[in-house]
Amino acid sequence: MRQRKNRNATNHDLFLDFPANKTYVSVILGVSRSTVYLWSEIAFWRIPQFREAYSKKPDGSYDKESPLSPYQCWVIGRIGRLMSQVVSAERVKVGIKKNPNYFNVYTYRKAQEQLQRIGA
């Protein structure tokens, strides 16, 4: 893994109001675009709600080239935080398996509600 452009970019959850492509997410998180692709692959195969958030192609497969939903961006940010703490993709995969609630839509919505209360 390359050195991050901004070491602190994943210290906080990423909340966007719009779908974003992986290049944009990489700029926000201070990592390379290929790193965001790797993190999204980890999430795709281990977090069903992340996978289901992708739009589907006419043949029924997932369109992994489509922009990421705000929820998916949040998950990518959380995976980035874990990567900065444990440094190993294998450890992140184990962490996702042991703590699936850390990445689910319910946790995302609760965190979003708390953020809106603070901003109000």
Side-chain angles (χ1 to χ4, degrees), residues 5-25:
K5 297 170 193 162
N6 181 352
R7 292 180 32 190
N8 299 318
T10 56
N11 287 352
H12 305 286
D13 284 335
L14 175 61
F15 292 101
L16 298 177
D17 294 336
F18 51 88
N21 64 31
K22 291 174 181 147
T23 301
Y24 183 78
V25 173

PDB file of all heavy atoms in Angstrom, residues 5-25:
ATOM      1  N   LYS A   5      -1.812  10.351   1.021  1.00  0.00           N
ATOM      2  CA  LYS A   5      -1.586  11.776   0.790  1.00  0.00           C
ATOM      3  C   LYS A   5      -2.008  12.578   2.014  1.00  0.00           C
ATOM      4  O   LYS A   5      -1.435  13.601   2.319  1.00  0.00           O
ATOM      5  CB  LYS A   5      -2.377  12.231  -0.432  1.00  0.00           C
ATOM      6  CG  LYS A   5      -1.933  11.554  -1.705  1.00  0.00           C
ATOM      7  CD  LYS A   5      -2.888  11.835  -2.843  1.00  0.00           C
ATOM      8  CE  LYS A   5      -2.602  10.891  -3.994  1.00  0.00           C
ATOM      9  NZ  LYS A   5      -3.693  10.816  -4.929  1.00  0.00           N
ATOM     10  N   ASN A   6      -3.036  12.097   2.701  1.00  0.00           N
ATOM     11  CA  ASN A   6      -3.531  12.759   3.899  1.00  0.00           C
ATOM     12  C   ASN A   6      -3.771  11.694   4.953  1.00  0.00           C
ATOM     13  O   ASN A   6      -4.745  10.958   4.891  1.00  0.00           O
ATOM     14  CB  ASN A   6      -4.826  13.520   3.589  1.00  0.00           C
ATOM     15  CG  ASN A   6      -5.367  14.257   4.788  1.00  0.00           C
ATOM     16  OD1 ASN A   6      -4.887  14.104   5.911  1.00  0.00           O
ATOM     17  ND2 ASN A   6      -6.369  15.074   4.560  1.00  0.00           N
ATOM     18  N   ARG A   7      -2.888  11.586   5.916  1.00  0.00           N
ATOM     19  CA  ARG A   7      -2.957  10.519   6.924  1.00  0.00           C
ATOM     20  C   ARG A   7      -4.212  10.570   7.777  1.00  0.00           C
ATOM     21  O   ARG A   7      -4.644   9.565   8.308  1.00  0.00           O
ATOM     22  CB  ARG A   7      -1.741  10.602   7.840  1.00  0.00           C
ATOM     23  CG  ARG A   7      -0.448  10.261   7.152  1.00  0.00           C
ATOM     24  CD  ARG A   7       0.722  10.351   8.081  1.00  0.00           C
ATOM     25  NE  ARG A   7       0.345  10.006   9.443  1.00  0.00           N
ATOM     26  CZ  ARG A   7       1.107  10.175  10.486  1.00  0.00           C
ATOM     27  NH1 ARG A   7       2.295  10.682  10.356  1.00  0.00           N
ATOM     28  NH2 ARG A   7       0.703   9.837  11.694  1.00  0.00           N
ATOM     29  N   ASN A   8      -4.800  11.738   7.934  1.00  0.00           N
ATOM     30  CA  ASN A   8      -5.945  11.884   8.831  1.00  0.00           C
ATOM     31  C   ASN A   8      -7.295  11.868   8.126  1.00  0.00           C
ATOM     32  O   ASN A   8      -8.328  12.066   8.763  1.00  0.00           O
ATOM     33  CB  ASN A   8      -5.808  13.187   9.628  1.00  0.00           C
ATOM     34  CG  ASN A   8      -4.561  13.190  10.469  1.00  0.00           C
ATOM     35  OD1 ASN A   8      -4.220  12.194  11.089  1.00  0.00           O
ATOM     36  ND2 ASN A   8      -3.854  14.309  10.481  1.00  0.00           N
ATOM     37  N   ALA A   9      -7.327  11.633   6.841  1.00  0.00           N
ATOM     38  CA  ALA A   9      -8.562  11.734   6.066  1.00  0.00           C
ATOM     39  C   ALA A   9      -9.594  10.682   6.439  1.00  0.00           C
ATOM     40  O   ALA A   9     -10.781  10.900   6.241  1.00  0.00           O
ATOM     41  CB  ALA A   9      -8.265  11.665   4.574  1.00  0.00           C
ATOM     42  N   THR A  10      -9.174   9.547   6.992  1.00  0.00           N
ATOM     43  CA  THR A  10     -10.134   8.504   7.369  1.00  0.00           C
ATOM     44  C   THR A  10     -10.397   8.477   8.875  1.00  0.00           C
ATOM     45  O   THR A  10     -10.997   7.533   9.375  1.00  0.00           O
ATOM     46  CB  THR A  10      -9.658   7.116   6.906  1.00  0.00           C
ATOM     47  OG1 THR A  10      -8.356   6.858   7.446  1.00  0.00           O
ATOM     48  CG2 THR A  10      -9.638   7.022   5.395  1.00  0.00           C
ATOM     49  N   ASN A  11      -9.960   9.493   9.593  1.00  0.00           N
ATOM     50  CA  ASN A  11     -10.198   9.531  11.042  1.00  0.00           C
ATOM     51  C   ASN A  11     -11.674   9.735  11.385  1.00  0.00           C
ATOM     52  O   ASN A  11     -12.104   9.416  12.478  1.00  0.00           O
ATOM     53  CB  ASN A  11      -9.382  10.639  11.699  1.00  0.00           C
ATOM     54  CG  ASN A  11      -7.911  10.299  11.759  1.00  0.00           C
ATOM     55  OD1 ASN A  11      -7.502   9.182  11.451  1.00  0.00           O
ATOM     56  ND2 ASN A  11      -7.109  11.262  12.146  1.00  0.00           N
ATOM     57  N   HIS A  12     -12.440  10.267  10.455  1.00  0.00           N
ATOM     58  CA  HIS A  12     -13.852  10.541  10.686  1.00  0.00           C
ATOM     59  C   HIS A  12     -14.678   9.881   9.588  1.00  0.00           C
ATOM     60  O   HIS A  12     -14.200   9.625   8.496  1.00  0.00           O
ATOM     61  CB  HIS A  12     -14.116  12.054  10.702  1.00  0.00           C
ATOM     62  CG  HIS A  12     -13.266  12.781  11.697  1.00  0.00           C
ATOM     63  ND1 HIS A  12     -13.497  12.724  13.041  1.00  0.00           N
ATOM     64  CD2 HIS A  12     -12.163  13.554  11.537  1.00  0.00           C
ATOM     65  CE1 HIS A  12     -12.579  13.438  13.680  1.00  0.00           C
ATOM     66  NE2 HIS A  12     -11.753  13.954  12.781  1.00  0.00           N
ATOM     67  N   ASP A  13     -15.939   9.630   9.916  1.00  0.00           N
ATOM     68  CA  ASP A  13     -16.831   9.036   8.921  1.00  0.00           C
ATOM     69  C   ASP A  13     -17.026   9.990   7.748  1.00  0.00           C
ATOM     70  O   ASP A  13     -17.004  11.216   7.908  1.00  0.00           O
ATOM     71  CB  ASP A  13     -18.192   8.715   9.542  1.00  0.00           C
ATOM     72  CG  ASP A  13     -18.144   7.471  10.412  1.00  0.00           C
ATOM     73  OD1 ASP A  13     -17.271   6.613  10.203  1.00  0.00           O
ATOM     74  OD2 ASP A  13     -19.007   7.350  11.306  1.00  0.00           O
ATOM     75  N   LEU A  14     -17.234   9.408   6.582  1.00  0.00           N
ATOM     76  CA  LEU A  14     -17.437  10.171   5.356  1.00  0.00           C
ATOM     77  C   LEU A  14     -18.928  10.205   5.037  1.00  0.00           C
ATOM     78  O   LEU A  14     -19.524   9.169   4.770  1.00  0.00           O
ATOM     79  CB  LEU A  14     -16.663   9.516   4.204  1.00  0.00           C
ATOM     80  CG  LEU A  14     -16.837  10.109   2.818  1.00  0.00           C
ATOM     81  CD1 LEU A  14     -16.379  11.567   2.798  1.00  0.00           C
ATOM     82  CD2 LEU A  14     -16.049   9.294   1.812  1.00  0.00           C
ATOM     83  N   PHE A  15     -19.518  11.387   5.104  1.00  0.00           N
ATOM     84  CA  PHE A  15     -20.934  11.554   4.772  1.00  0.00           C
ATOM     85  C   PHE A  15     -21.052  12.474   3.564  1.00  0.00           C
ATOM     86  O   PHE A  15     -20.659  13.636   3.623  1.00  0.00           O
ATOM     87  CB  PHE A  15     -21.707  12.165   5.945  1.00  0.00           C
ATOM     88  CG  PHE A  15     -21.823  11.249   7.120  1.00  0.00           C
ATOM     89  CD1 PHE A  15     -21.007  11.391   8.218  1.00  0.00           C
ATOM     90  CD2 PHE A  15     -22.766  10.224   7.132  1.00  0.00           C
ATOM     91  CE1 PHE A  15     -21.112  10.535   9.306  1.00  0.00           C
ATOM     92  CE2 PHE A  15     -22.884   9.366   8.203  1.00  0.00           C
ATOM     93  CZ  PHE A  15     -22.053   9.527   9.294  1.00  0.00           C
ATOM     94  N   LEU A  16     -21.550  11.929   2.477  1.00  0.00           N
ATOM     95  CA  LEU A  16     -21.801  12.711   1.273  1.00  0.00           C
ATOM     96  C   LEU A  16     -23.307  12.769   1.034  1.00  0.00           C
ATOM     97  O   LEU A  16     -24.034  11.866   1.442  1.00  0.00           O
ATOM     98  CB  LEU A  16     -21.111  12.080   0.063  1.00  0.00           C
ATOM     99  CG  LEU A  16     -19.588  11.988   0.099  1.00  0.00           C
ATOM    100  CD1 LEU A  16     -19.070  11.278  -1.141  1.00  0.00           C
ATOM    101  CD2 LEU A  16     -18.973  13.368   0.217  1.00  0.00           C
ATOM    102  N   ASP A  17     -23.755  13.818   0.359  1.00  0.00           N
ATOM    103  CA  ASP A  17     -25.179  13.973   0.041  1.00  0.00           C
ATOM    104  C   ASP A  17     -25.501  13.514  -1.376  1.00  0.00           C
ATOM    105  O   ASP A  17     -26.621  13.680  -1.829  1.00  0.00           O
ATOM    106  CB  ASP A  17     -25.597  15.445   0.169  1.00  0.00           C
ATOM    107  CG  ASP A  17     -25.520  15.935   1.601  1.00  0.00           C
ATOM    108  OD1 ASP A  17     -25.592  15.104   2.516  1.00  0.00           O
ATOM    109  OD2 ASP A  17     -25.372  17.153   1.791  1.00  0.00           O
ATOM    110  N   PHE A  18     -24.527  12.959  -2.062  1.00  0.00           N
ATOM    111  CA  PHE A  18     -24.706  12.634  -3.474  1.00  0.00           C
ATOM    112  C   PHE A  18     -23.855  11.411  -3.812  1.00  0.00           C
ATOM    113  O   PHE A  18     -22.861  11.133  -3.136  1.00  0.00           O
ATOM    114  CB  PHE A  18     -24.273  13.814  -4.341  1.00  0.00           C
ATOM    115  CG  PHE A  18     -22.888  14.315  -3.988  1.00  0.00           C
ATOM    116  CD1 PHE A  18     -21.761  13.771  -4.587  1.00  0.00           C
ATOM    117  CD2 PHE A  18     -22.721  15.318  -3.043  1.00  0.00           C
ATOM    118  CE1 PHE A  18     -20.490  14.217  -4.257  1.00  0.00           C
ATOM    119  CE2 PHE A  18     -21.454  15.773  -2.706  1.00  0.00           C
ATOM    120  CZ  PHE A  18     -20.334  15.219  -3.318  1.00  0.00           C
ATOM    121  N   PRO A  19     -24.227  10.684  -4.856  1.00  0.00           N
ATOM    122  CA  PRO A  19     -23.383   9.584  -5.315  1.00  0.00           C
ATOM    123  C   PRO A  19     -22.059  10.146  -5.843  1.00  0.00           C
ATOM    124  O   PRO A  19     -22.016  11.240  -6.402  1.00  0.00           O
ATOM    125  CB  PRO A  19     -24.187   8.950  -6.452  1.00  0.00           C
ATOM    126  CG  PRO A  19     -25.588   9.408  -6.243  1.00  0.00           C
ATOM    127  CD  PRO A  19     -25.496  10.756  -5.588  1.00  0.00           C
ATOM    128  N   ALA A  20     -20.992   9.398  -5.635  1.00  0.00           N
ATOM    129  CA  ALA A  20     -19.669   9.880  -6.056  1.00  0.00           C
ATOM    130  C   ALA A  20     -18.890   8.749  -6.721  1.00  0.00           C
ATOM    131  O   ALA A  20     -18.999   7.591  -6.318  1.00  0.00           O
ATOM    132  CB  ALA A  20     -18.899  10.401  -4.853  1.00  0.00           C
ATOM    133  N   ASN A  21     -18.094   9.106  -7.714  1.00  0.00           N
ATOM    134  CA  ASN A  21     -17.266   8.074  -8.337  1.00  0.00           C
ATOM    135  C   ASN A  21     -16.050   7.797  -7.450  1.00  0.00           C
ATOM    136  O   ASN A  21     -15.732   8.553  -6.536  1.00  0.00           O
ATOM    137  CB  ASN A  21     -16.886   8.453  -9.770  1.00  0.00           C
ATOM    138  CG  ASN A  21     -16.020   9.676  -9.863  1.00  0.00           C
ATOM    139  OD1 ASN A  21     -15.227   9.977  -8.983  1.00  0.00           O
ATOM    140  ND2 ASN A  21     -16.169  10.412 -10.941  1.00  0.00           N
ATOM    141  N   LYS A  22     -15.390   6.708  -7.751  1.00  0.00           N
ATOM    142  CA  LYS A  22     -14.274   6.266  -6.908  1.00  0.00           C
ATOM    143  C   LYS A  22     -13.101   7.229  -6.952  1.00  0.00           C
ATOM    144  O   LYS A  22     -12.375   7.377  -5.968  1.00  0.00           O
ATOM    145  CB  LYS A  22     -13.860   4.848  -7.303  1.00  0.00           C
ATOM    146  CG  LYS A  22     -14.936   3.839  -6.933  1.00  0.00           C
ATOM    147  CD  LYS A  22     -14.625   2.458  -7.435  1.00  0.00           C
ATOM    148  CE  LYS A  22     -15.778   1.542  -7.039  1.00  0.00           C
ATOM    149  NZ  LYS A  22     -16.034   0.495  -7.983  1.00  0.00           N
ATOM    150  N   THR A  23     -12.931   7.929  -8.067  1.00  0.00           N
ATOM    151  CA  THR A  23     -11.855   8.917  -8.161  1.00  0.00           C
ATOM    152  C   THR A  23     -12.097  10.052  -7.165  1.00  0.00           C
ATOM    153  O   THR A  23     -11.181  10.473  -6.457  1.00  0.00           O
ATOM    154  CB  THR A  23     -11.764   9.468  -9.595  1.00  0.00           C
ATOM    155  OG1 THR A  23     -11.529   8.388 -10.497  1.00  0.00           O
ATOM    156  CG2 THR A  23     -10.661  10.498  -9.716  1.00  0.00           C
ATOM    157  N   TYR A  24     -13.319  10.533  -7.101  1.00  0.00           N
ATOM    158  CA  TYR A  24     -13.661  11.606  -6.171  1.00  0.00           C
ATOM    159  C   TYR A  24     -13.452  11.152  -4.721  1.00  0.00           C
ATOM    160  O   TYR A  24     -12.886  11.882  -3.904  1.00  0.00           O
ATOM    161  CB  TYR A  24     -15.108  12.039  -6.402  1.00  0.00           C
ATOM    162  CG  TYR A  24     -15.548  13.195  -5.540  1.00  0.00           C
ATOM    163  CD1 TYR A  24     -15.170  14.492  -5.858  1.00  0.00           C
ATOM    164  CD2 TYR A  24     -16.331  12.993  -4.416  1.00  0.00           C
ATOM    165  CE1 TYR A  24     -15.561  15.564  -5.066  1.00  0.00           C
ATOM    166  CE2 TYR A  24     -16.735  14.046  -3.614  1.00  0.00           C
ATOM    167  CZ  TYR A  24     -16.343  15.332  -3.940  1.00  0.00           C
ATOM    168  OH  TYR A  24     -16.729  16.381  -3.153  1.00  0.00           O
ATOM    169  N   VAL A  25     -13.888   9.933  -4.413  1.00  0.00           N
ATOM    170  CA  VAL A  25     -13.725   9.396  -3.059  1.00  0.00           C
ATOM    171  C   VAL A  25     -12.240   9.274  -2.712  1.00  0.00           C
ATOM    172  O   VAL A  25     -11.834   9.583  -1.595  1.00  0.00           O
ATOM    173  CB  VAL A  25     -14.456   8.049  -2.910  1.00  0.00           C
ATOM    174  CG1 VAL A  25     -14.162   7.396  -1.568  1.00  0.00           C
ATOM    175  CG2 VAL A  25     -15.954   8.234  -3.091  1.00  0.00           C
TER     176      VAL A  25
END
